[in-house]
Amino acid sequence: MDAALPLTASARAAIARGEAEFQAARRQRRQATLAYGALLLACLLVAAWMAEMTPGALAEGLPRIGEYFWRILPTLRWEVLFADWETEGSLAGWFYRLDKWAWLIFETSQMALLGTVLGTLIAFALSFVAARNLAPSRWAFHLARRLLEFCRTVPEIVFALIFVWAFGIGPMAGILAIIIHTAGANGKLFAEVVENAETSAMEGVRAAGGNWFHRVRFGVLPQVAPNFLSYALLRFEINVRGASVLGFVGAGGIGEELYHVISFNYYEEISAIIVLIILSVAAIDMVSETLRRHLATGAARG
């Protein structure tokens, strides 16, 4: 076997320069990482200071959280837990207004469903205009983007307060607030999906003489429809939780009842309603997850 040829002086110099450049770039990246880390830490400390989030405050408040949850739990004694509804601390007494609460939770889910469907339809219509690769014109793109930003930036509860003032207390205010926020949130996600779509199909439709609507219908929509539906299902889960909070300002649903029992410190009623909300959201999450999984499997096979 031939021995390796000795390196020339110029080769050794080139290797040394390459090693020096690599080490210099490595040191520069390390310094940049440390600098950004220090900046992030400083920002977090400033934010904690401004929010008055101190170790002393946390140490003082955390035990009180445990005390609150201890108060809202039912009595964990067998002879009390399964007694009749007149016995304080029993499950029957815990859920003594189950019929009313179940109806209010159903109302909340219907608010979320209607708001999600209508808001998603608006997002669907605006997403193609708000996508950079499909916007009919520059001003239409910026107008659609700014509108979507406004819809999702203003909190739902602010919209709900406005609509409660305009339409009165009831589910309509909550539904309208969910519609606007859903349109803004889903519109942004849909537009980003459209921007990431393959351009070959769009160019093929354009080459065949198709107009803007033809490109959307035949070149983009078949690609993005599964992602659109997945985001819509996710938004529905989020809106169920959001609709429960909107009732605090009179926008209908279980939130109004929850605000009432919290105001009067009805601990058992608080815990019962929270359990029902958790169970309802968990059921919706499982159904939505199943639908998304089947959808993703179908898209992969297609």
Side-chain angles (χ1 to χ4, degrees):
M1 182 179 294
D2 296 335
L5 296 175
L7 295 174
T8 62
S10 60
R12 287 195 297 270
I15 292 174
R17 285 195 303 271
E19 178 67 18
E21 291 175 358
F22 170 77
Q23 293 297 336
R26 186 178 179 184
R27 285 193 300 270
Q28 186 177 5
R29 287 196 298 270
R30 187 184 298 116
Q31 292 171 359
T33 301
L34 291 174
Y36 285 123
L39 179 61
L40 176 60
L41 179 60
C43 291
L44 291 176
L45 291 175
V46 171
W49 173 73
M50 295 185 65
E52 299 180 358
M53 184 177 177
T54 62
L58 288 174
E60 181 182 355
L62 286 176
R64 298 180 63 186
I65 296 177
E67 179 185 350
Y68 184 84
F69 280 104
W70 179 256
R71 286 188 178 185
I72 68 175
L73 287 174
T75 302
L76 299 180
R77 295 203 310 270
W78 184 271
E79 65 275 10
V80 175
L81 192 62
F82 296 98
D84 57 22
W85 67 273
E86 294 181 347
T87 303
E88 184 178 357
S90 65
L91 285 176
W94 209 32
F95 292 100
Y96 76 104
R97 301 180 70 188
L98 179 60
D99 54 346
K100 179 181 180 180
W101 294 338
W103 174 255
L104 289 175
I105 287 178
F106 177 74
E107 181 182 272
T108 300
S109 65
Q110 296 310 297
M111 288 169 53
L113 178 62
L114 183 57
T116 302
V117 171
L118 296 181
T120 299
L121 290 177
I122 297 173
F124 176 83
L126 291 176
S127 62
F128 301 104
V129 182
R132 195 177 300 274
N133 58 340
L134 269 179
S137 62
R138 188 175 181 83
W139 67 265
F141 166 77
H142 285 290
L143 182 62
R145 283 279 183 167
R146 303 296 84 78
L147 178 60
L148 293 175
E149 288 171 2
F150 169 77
C151 291
R152 71 174 179 272
T153 301
V154 179
E156 289 172 298
I157 199 165
V158 175
F159 282 127
L161 282 169
I162 296 172
F163 292 132
V164 165
W165 181 82
F167 298 103
I169 294 175
M172 179 181 287
I175 293 171
L176 292 175
I178 293 172
I179 289 173
I180 294 177
H181 200 269
T182 298
N186 275 354
K188 173 182 171 57
L189 296 174
F190 289 1
E192 291 178 349
V193 171
V194 171
E195 288 180 345
N196 293 325
E198 291 291 336
T199 59
S200 56
M202 290 185 283
E203 295 303 323
V205 175
R206 185 203 296 269
N211 57 26
W212 185 84
F213 292 100
H214 293 150
R215 281 187 289 146
V216 170
R217 170 62 182 86
F218 299 104
V220 179
L221 191 56
Q223 299 184 58
V224 301
N227 286 330
F228 278 15
L229 185 54
S230 179
Y231 281 132
L233 290 173
L234 177 61
R235 178 52 52 177
F236 174 54
E237 299 171 13
I238 296 172
N239 286 341
V240 171
R241 293 185 283 269
S244 302
V245 178
L246 295 182
F248 277 56
V249 295
I254 192 64
E256 291 186 30
E257 183 72 11
L258 183 59
Y259 176 74
H260 173 76
V261 296
I262 289 176
S263 300
F264 289 94
N265 291 325
Y266 295 157
Y267 295 113
E268 291 185 352
E269 286 85 344
I270 295 171
S271 55
I273 292 175
I274 291 175
V275 167
L276 291 175
I277 293 174
I278 292 173
L279 292 176
S280 302
V281 173
I284 293 171
D285 284 349
M286 288 188 290
V287 173
S288 298
E289 179 63 27
T290 302
L291 291 175
R292 281 200 303 272
R293 187 169 58 251
H294 287 304
L295 181 63
T297 303
R301 291 175 180 175

